[in-house]
Amino acid sequence: MPHLTEIAALNQSTAVLNDFLATLSPSNPSVLMLDYDGTLAPFQVDRFHAYPYPGVLPLLENIQRSGTTRIIIVTGRPIHEVQALLQPLTHIEIWGAHGLDHLLPDGTRRQIPIVPELAAILEQAQQTLKQRSLEDQIEIKPGGVVLHWRGLPDDTARTLRAQTFEDWTLLAQHPSIKLLDFEGGIELRVLRPDKGDAVAAVLKLLARDTPVAFLGDDFTDEDGFRVLSHRGLPILVRDEYRETSARAWIKPPEDLLRFLEQWLHRTTSTNPADPLH
Ligand SMILES: [Mg+2]
């Protein structure tokens, strides 16, 4: 039996989603912001093979082709990794590395540099992992060092987390550095920008009446949800409900596909009241 808050969240979500979808139309520009891992794609032990759920790419291609909606990926990954996984989708706007790196559809790119003091802390974080021979689990990203444990036994993962947490506690005390616990790993990274900053940068240049949604699954998406909550629709995409600043909750992949289908329908059909099927 689902939890009571889960029932409430589900009931509320349907109404909130329908109200939002009703604001979309072929003649009105709209913005669809999407996290990647856990939102568009299921987690994989090999993160370079975490491809989108079947059906997601054709829908995104059609939404992009309609020319009404600006699709924006907001991810913790470096931009080139998401580009590779989203193929054949191209010319897409991506905010990578939690907003440190911004790529526009025309190829224009803007990267925020890391100050040397913070780069030195990240270098130290990397060294502590190497000293424990964890090379295979390390990922170096713009502005961050990650230890991954997806695919490892639970007790190994717990030990790795505890050890790394201890190793990095001192480094994380710097006011411009943070420790991020996420699904399948831990990351030491620069405090800002975060996904909320990326969402805020997008909102800043939009007309007030442009419908905007942001779909995400993880704790790092909550920064984006909070920024969007007064202005658009933040949506939690997750199998299980958890407390969130999002205003709607959908389960992947079925609800996600249905949402994207409805988005496409609303932004392309001259009679959006027509049933989908
Ligand atoms: Mg995610």
Side-chain angles (χ1 to χ4, degrees), residues 112-262:
I112 299 174
I114 305 292
V115 298
E117 184 190 357
L118 301 184
I121 291 175
L122 297 176
E123 174 63 29
Q124 275 186 57
Q126 189 183 333
Q127 289 310 322
T128 58
L129 297 182
K130 284 185 175 163
Q131 280 159 15
R132 289 201 280 109
S133 305
L134 293 168
E135 280 88 349
D136 292 348
Q137 265 81 46
I138 305 176
E139 180 190 1
I140 310 299
K141 301 203 300 196
V145 177
V146 185
L147 181 72
H148 290 278
W149 53 66
R150 192 171 297 286
L152 297 178
D154 283 353
D155 53 343
T156 311
R158 266 194 301 275
T159 308
L160 282 178
R161 184 187 175 280
Q163 281 175 347
T164 310
F165 204 87
E166 203 179 311
D167 285 350
W168 286 355
T169 300
L170 259 181
L171 302 176
Q173 281 173 5
H174 190 287
S176 296
I177 290 282
K178 65 184 168 191
L179 255 180
L180 281 182
D181 248 331
F182 66 95
E183 308 250 3
I186 190 169
E187 176 170 3
L188 190 84
R189 68 170 296 105
V190 292
L191 185 68
R192 305 293 285 270
D194 57 29
K195 288 186 176 182
D197 295 314
V199 171
V202 170
L203 291 181
K204 204 174 159 190
L205 303 175
L206 285 186
R208 288 290 307 172
D209 60 346
T210 306
V212 191
F214 174 43
L215 281 65
D217 70 300
D218 215 333
F219 296 116
T220 59
D221 298 311
E222 294 289 333
D223 295 319
F225 293 164
R226 277 188 290 274
V227 169
L228 191 60
S229 59
H230 68 285
R231 162 72 181 79
L233 182 59
I235 304 173
L236 178 68
V237 182
R238 206 165 186 272
D239 275 330
E240 285 159 26
Y241 181 74
R242 69 160 155 77
E243 248 189 72
T244 177
S245 298
R247 287 199 291 114
W249 165 46
I250 60 177
K251 294 185 186 186
E254 291 83 8
D255 294 349
L256 169 72
L257 292 170
R258 198 172 307 123
F259 178 77
L260 294 177
E261 275 169 19
Q262 287 172 336

Side-chain angles (χ1 to χ4, degrees), residues 35-39 43 195 217-218 221:
D35 166 54
Y36 184 78
D37 294 280
T39 300
F43 292 107
K195 288 186 176 182
D217 70 300
D218 215 333
D221 298 311

Side-chain angles (χ1 to χ4, degrees), residues 32-36 39-40 60 71-74 214-215 260:
L32 176 56
M33 287 191 270
L34 302 154
D35 166 54
Y36 184 78
T39 300
L40 294 182
L60 291 182
I71 297 175
I72 307 173
I73 306 293
V74 183
F214 174 43
L215 281 65
L260 294 177

